[in-house]
Amino acid sequence: MKTAAQLVRLKSVQNQQVHSIAPEQTVLEALQIMAEKNVGALPVIENGQVIGVFSERDYARKMVLKGRSSVGTPVRTIMSAPVITADSQQSIDRCMEVMTDSHLRHLPVLDNGQLIGLLSIGDLVKEAIVEQADLIRQLEHYIRGH
């Protein structure tokens, strides 16, 4: 079973780069970054630490449905916090369990307190499918005696 850090390293170079935002930046700025980078969430970083996550879900539920303006609203006011993170050495199974139990779609991965990547539920599902396919091939190989 791979660790969170290994899965972060397996992502394509384009998807390994973590885009983030500061808590005082506006929701509009966050949305512009997300659209430009084609991502669904941004870790919120203050003094080098992850203090929250801003996601499309936060925008839909805490801005649009409440009639707030994205122009003057700071990310801090609607980000999901406190943030739930994964340690770089956590197993993919444990990450999936945390995300499922906490109803998360994005999980920041930390190594010694520093952000090294962001895993999406899609990343974890893809890896689970790959691992299951490998296990099936191994079992078929064993059954056939090759």
Side-chain angles (χ1 to χ4, degrees), residues 99 105 119-127:
M99 292 177 82
R105 294 182 183 175
L119 293 177
S120 71
I121 194 69
D123 296 330
L124 296 175
V125 169
K126 285 179 199 172
E127 182 59 26

Side-chain angles (χ1 to χ4, degrees), residues 58-59 61-70 73 78:
D58 293 318
Y59 177 71
R61 293 181 180 179
K62 299 173 188 171
M63 291 294 296
V64 175
L65 290 177
K66 295 191 178 189
R68 291 179 169 165
S69 170
S70 57
T73 304
I78 68 161

Side-chain angles (χ1 to χ4, degrees), residues 3 6 12 24-25 52-53 79 81 105 112-113 119 131-132:
T3 65
Q6 288 171 320
S12 69
E24 65 276 358
Q25 288 182 265
V53 172
M79 68 183 184
R105 294 182 183 175
N112 294 319
L119 293 177
E131 287 187 8
Q132 287 176 357

Side-chain angles (χ1 to χ4, degrees), residues 21 24-34 54 59 63 69-78:
I21 193 150
E24 65 276 358
Q25 288 182 265
T26 66
V27 170
L28 180 61
E29 290 173 295
L31 293 172
Q32 289 170 332
I33 292 168
M34 290 165 65
F54 173 79
Y59 177 71
M63 291 294 296
S69 170
S70 57
V71 175
T73 304
V75 168
R76 179 186 304 280
T77 62
I78 68 161

Side-chain angles (χ1 to χ4, degrees), residues 84 90 94-104 107:
I84 297 172
Q90 271 184 273
R94 179 67 184 131
C95 291
M96 194 174 287
E97 185 179 308
V98 167
M99 292 177 82
T100 301
D101 291 347
S102 302
H103 305 286
L104 302 175
L107 186 65

